[in-house]
Amino acid sequence: MSCSLFEFCRLQELKTVRDYLFQSQKTEPVEEKNQTAENELSWDTSDWESAWDSGDGKEEEATSATMVEEETTGQSAPWLQDCIVSLSPCSDLLVVAREQKAVFLSAKWRTDDSGREEMTLAVSWTGSLSSDEGECVSSSICIPLASQKRSSTGRPDWTCVVVGFTSGYVRFYTENGVLLLAQLLHEDPVLRLKCRTYEIPRHPGVTEQHEELSILYPAALVTIDGFSLFQSLRACRNQVARAAAAGSDVIQPPPLAYKKWGLQDMDTIVDHSSVGIMTLCVFDQMKNASILGGFNASVKGSPPAMSQYVTVGGGPYTGFYYAVEGSSQPLLSHVAMAVASKLTSALFSAASGWLGWNKNKNEEEAVQKQKPKVEPVTPLGVRFGLPDSRRHGESICLSPCNTLAGVTDDFGRVTLLDLARGIAIRMWKGYRDAQLAWLQVPEERGDREHSPSASLPRRHALFLVIYAPRRGILEVWGMQQGPRVGAFTVGKHSRLLYAGYRLMGVNSVTSQGWQLHTQQVCLLDPITGALRTVNIPFHLALSDKKSERAKDMHLLKRLTTILRSREVEPDILESEAKSVLLDIKHPAIKKQALESLLTNKNAPVSCLTNITSALYDTLKHQDPEEMDSVLVQLCSSRLKLLQLYTDIQYLHPAADTEACEEALDSLEGIEDELARVGPTLQRYAQLTSRPSVSFAQDLPDMPLPAQAFLSQMEYTEEGQLRVIRGSDTEWNKLGSFLFWGCLCGKSPVHKVCDTLQQAGISPQQLLSLLLSVWLQREKEVLQKPEESVRNLHTLLIALSNMKGAVEESWDTQSISPWWQQVRCTCVQSHNAAAALLAAFVAHRAAKASITSRADSKLQLEWEAVSLELEQWVVCVRQLEDVLVLQTLLLVPPPQGSTGGAVAQCSIKMLLEGGTGGITDNVSKWVFRQNLAPERLKEILQKREDKEAGDKLEQKAGEEGNEKEKSQEDTDRTAELLVAVCQRFPHSLSPDLLLAHCCWEYVVQWNKDPEEGRYLCWAVEHLKLVSSPHIQLGICTMMWSTFIVKRFSAAAFLMEKVGKAPKDRLCRRDVGMGDKAVTSFLGCCVQLLQILMEADSEVEEVPPPELSVEEAWCGAEGPASIAELALEQRGVHYPLVQHHCLLASLLNAAMTFSLKVKPLNLFDSKGKNAFFRDLTTIQLMPSGDMDPGLVSLRQEFLLRVLTGWVQAIDDPSSSASGPGSPPLPSNGPKADWWPSLCLELGSLLQVNPDILRRHLVCELYNQGLDLRAEEVMLQVEDKDVLGSQLLVLTGQRLSYSLLHSQSQTQAAMELLARLPPTLCTWLKAMDPSELRCPLVPLSQTSRLVGSLIEMLPENHAQYSLALHLLEAVEVLTTED
């Protein structure tokens, strides 16, 4: 118990405060910093001087180099030194001011990351305080004002901020920066503001001090009486509030009454303390009279009351002033002057109005702005001082008891003054720029009771706190000549904030029963924003000779040291610890020592028992009056617990030979149940026994140390032994210590139970411990299930037979709390197998108990029907379901697949998961397993067709030897899934499971949109759902929740760039790469097609009825996806089709990287309808489109067809050959693109024949003649097509005759033989337009043949076609 620094509050937004106060100097701080660094690197002899003076090298810890380093690292730190900072003594308001600006920070409570409530100071007001030009804030103080309500407990009603300015003005503000009152008291800068508030006198002889506010000017001191100030401020605040509410102007309040002393005979004054009223004793009165008045001076009968003021500065270094009370009346001429000036100005302005002299406003304002008259000072001479011509005082800090003061000076000294005698009584060296504060600590109540002065008032200890910023150290010194009792390293830029007063407006009547919540000392760290206070225990003020406590603390430290050393032998540890414990006198410390001994891990049990019993014996032999009952009780309870620990430890190795007949009888038939669930248990055990990492000390087999046992047990006031529920690990360890031996059959069950019952632990807690260890050690239980179940049954029966387990008055028709506890534990457990076995056992035991009770009451051969057993039947059924489900969920996913940790399920969790909880778990498992939608459908069909399933098993059996292990595993997994589906026929009906899988995949896709496969599989799952109602609902939800936002982003992006966007833009706007966007748009098309199909089928099919298994009817929680889907509204078919059209266009543009502005292909109605809610009815485009739009659409579709033709012509394979491979089902080569274009053409009012002709030409152009011939059959306008193909044929011939590299002689001869018209025509052809000019002649001749058939004989180019045919035939024969 030593000094400590305790953080009680933290400042928020420190950077905001700094930036606001220094915003005019954004560039200056760097220069300042360099300057300070230079100063600190320069030869500053004062530091050496103070270090040499102290004669102790340790005192000066920080060298100038480290200072510079700190300056550079904590750049923001020194700014606070340039500000005026004042903190309310209640720590709920902090004012930081600089020049004209100020920031007010008010207290707020907030919850931190760990959930604890903590107090912070946050900015509540910022603004400029000065109203006159050129004046700056020079001093400030926050005075909390007490509440006048009777119910008040000592919290302030509000806080007044008093600010002194360089102009001499003192202004009073509310916490929100509202000006209440301003007064010019003297025409010099205000140096310091100080306040004194009411303190309850601790001794009858102490003079009661009046409250006052004192204001120091360079040569004057103004004091304002606290009571009148309190009343004025309250009145002003009420008046301001009323004026604000009424919206009227604030009436100027009358000035404050004050006294003003002119402090004489001192060269410079920089700080002061108003000590208060003091009355001299007769001797001092005579001494003063004779010194001042000489030998014959007369002495008044009663000594006068005087106010004492102490000032510091120079010449003399400290001055003592005494003002005799009643010598100067409060100066009220202010009031008269203010009233007179108001009257004259009112009359004058009225007169000027009558006489028409209206002066301009500026002059009026000048009159108003005249400074008020300042009262002259009443001179007050210095009575005496401490002359020291070279020393200059810097600050003075008055102690709370008003008898001492600390003074700092420019020589780096701190001087302690005795104010009554006017002398310096102590001096500290080496504290340059020190900041001082006082701490008064009352004696603890516990110490009072055992001290010889218990009947006297509580003692108070006084400590001086010194903060030396140059060394970054905070020290605490005992008064008056005490040692240093604490020191802390706190950094070099902190501020020590000491108010030295409490609440204003308190008196001896109102303060009774109040708890004044004030911090005496606060240290503000500007780097972290922490506000810390110093905690000092009272006993540090006591000298070691007088304080038994100090000796006891020393012994306690010695004991701690002994316990920490690991090498000590147990015997030495025992003797040492015993002697220390018996030597300690103070009961509280004795208790602390005993507790630290009992929690020590190195001490053996025998040692603990011996020491505790020795202490207990000595306490028993003490005088009953001196005896500490709490300590005796602690020893007694700890001894009992140590005995219990030893007894149980002793019982563990003994084997249990006794067999319980009753137990074996009621276990009949459990083998059948075990056999029934045996295969599942086996598979479950295999899946749970996978290797995992754990720490040795967390293993349940580790022996439980006595210390851990003691920490979990406590005796209640009634003498009952209660187990304290700690962490699950500790709870399970305790359970293992008590019961694992019995469950393994190594310990005698009945002896253990008797020992525990005698110790007084309630059977309910024992049952909880037993079940927790049974469930937690599931793996060991499943190794020998029959044996473990028997032992559990014996234990459960033994606990049930304990007194207080099952109530005597239990009616078998109602539910027993005892068995309900077992059920609750099983229902909440995630260890499905152990919970099921426990339920089997408890069901049997409960049945036996009910039967025996019924027999004793009825003596009939009827079987007792009971609500209890009904509950057990349901519970067992649910646990069997959970076991099968958990076994499925434990199946590990294939290597490399995604998916989180295995879902742990319990009955409670499934019931709370709502009607879709079970389906949700299985769908997550399907996702983890990476099961393809078709494979899942196949497994689900297998379940529906059981015969097929049986045949499949037979087949699997025959081919089992040939199959690989992985195939075997997948088959077993499929069987497990089928088994789960059979146990949950309603929850896992194919449609529901597929719907949930669809939703799971789309959720996972939304988390990682790059994985386009997830969205594709979601759509695939959705296709497999048979109910159009569910399809419709899920499509709508998917579209609105996940799809439409990204879909619209893709459309707007393409519209913006006018082409298929690049990867970077896609990632920026749509949140996925360009390939993923293409896949996504394809899925959008499919999704909208499913939606249209479902919408058209909905009317024909009734909606499905969703139901839940009987055992799982109690599910409460969110609705399942299928339920939500059925609640969705119908969609507007044309709007869906409209979106599907856009999705197809976007998909085509992305697939073939085309230039297009997709939204420009639609008119204004069409554009407006996009991305609206699909359930709403929108105005759709109708009638004939604008030809310009249609031509744009046609051009786009033609480009899509060209893109497709180029994509399918794979140069690696001879596509033209008859054995060309079939086209894939998706991607740019998919075979459905032409039909899609034709379909889009019909929707977009584009002539489909134009598209077909273009496709035929493109296919011939690419050299894909066979595909072209297939399409050509569908073309309607053959004439136009013939003309187009004629040109194409000409280009091919032209290439082979004129442009090919290998021009044969035969070709040349043929050219010579051709008709001149044909020759000229061929020469005019440009074969470079052909993408595949080298086509076999046979293909070209087929093409010409088709041309002849196509063109009518009267066609203009028919003759040309005949010539061509002739030429090709000749060429073919030549070849």
Side-chain angles (χ1 to χ4, degrees), residues 779-988:
K779 287 180 190 173
E780 289 103 310
V781 165
L782 290 177
Q783 284 166 7
K784 295 179 182 172
E786 290 86 358
E787 190 186 324
S788 305
V789 162
R790 263 201 307 282
N791 293 331
L792 175 65
H793 188 266
T794 315
L795 255 174
L796 202 54
I797 293 282
L799 290 181
S800 308
N801 293 337
M802 275 188 187
K803 192 180 175 195
V806 183
E807 301 83 4
E808 292 299 322
S809 60
W810 174 45
D811 170 19
T812 51
Q813 294 307 310
S814 62
I815 288 173
S816 156
W818 174 261
W819 297 115
Q820 181 64 24
Q821 187 185 344
V822 183
R823 253 198 315 279
C824 278
T825 312
C826 292
V827 160
Q828 291 172 19
S829 170
H830 292 297
N831 305 84
L836 178 61
L837 294 178
F840 282 158
V841 171
H843 185 194
R844 301 267 154 192
K847 194 170 184 179
S849 167
I850 289 170
T851 313
S852 66
R853 278 169 187 266
D855 289 352
S856 62
K857 285 182 185 173
L858 303 169
Q859 264 95 34
L860 292 172
E861 292 180 4
W862 295 86
E863 188 174 319
V865 177
S866 145
L867 186 60
E868 181 67 51
L869 293 181
E870 285 304 311
Q871 294 253 8
W872 272 120
V873 170
V874 173
C875 182
V876 168
R877 164 76 201 191
Q878 287 178 332
L879 282 167
E880 284 184 28
D881 288 353
V882 170
L883 176 65
V884 179
L885 178 60
Q886 184 68 67
T887 310
L888 175 74
L889 298 184
L890 282 169
V891 173
Q895 286 290 312
S897 66
T898 49
V902 174
Q904 293 288 331
C905 58
S906 64
I907 297 178
K908 182 172 183 245
M909 202 189 82
L910 290 178
L911 288 172
E912 285 173 355
T915 47
I918 295 157
T919 332
D920 199 40
N921 275 307
V922 177
S923 65
K924 284 185 168 62
W925 175 83
V926 168
F927 172 74
R928 280 204 307 277
Q929 289 293 328
N930 220 350
L931 265 187
E934 299 77 28
R935 173 75 181 132
L936 179 62
K937 183 75 175 174
E938 192 185 309
I939 294 171
L940 294 176
Q941 275 170 345
K942 201 185 293 179
R943 151 200 157 174
E944 286 171 15
D945 187 5
K946 282 202 77 174
E947 289 169 25
D950 294 344
K951 282 177 196 165
L952 212 109
E953 277 171 34
Q954 254 178 346
K955 205 171 169 188
E958 287 158 17
E959 297 171 15
N961 304 336
E962 300 154 31
K963 288 193 176 182
E964 293 177 16
K965 194 173 186 309
S966 62
Q967 183 58 41
E968 219 172 277
D969 280 357
T970 51
D971 282 359
R972 285 177 72 185
T973 305
E975 279 170 37
L976 249 179
L977 179 56
V978 170
V980 173
C981 291
Q982 282 167 353
R983 288 205 78 90
F984 297 100
H986 302 303
S987 298
L988 293 177

Side-chain angles (χ1 to χ4, degrees), residues 1124-1165:
L1124 292 172
L1126 293 177
E1127 288 168 12
Q1128 300 301 310
R1129 289 160 56 201
V1131 291
H1132 183 46
Y1133 188 91
L1135 186 58
V1136 179
Q1137 192 180 36
H1138 190 55
H1139 279 85
C1140 189
L1141 192 59
L1142 177 65
S1144 304
L1145 296 174
L1146 293 176
N1147 187 24
M1150 281 303 290
T1151 307
F1152 299 112
S1153 303
L1154 302 177
K1155 285 191 173 184
V1156 67
K1157 292 201 166 192
L1159 299 180
N1160 277 4
L1161 301 180
F1162 296 91
D1163 62 2
S1164 57
K1165 278 186 200 168

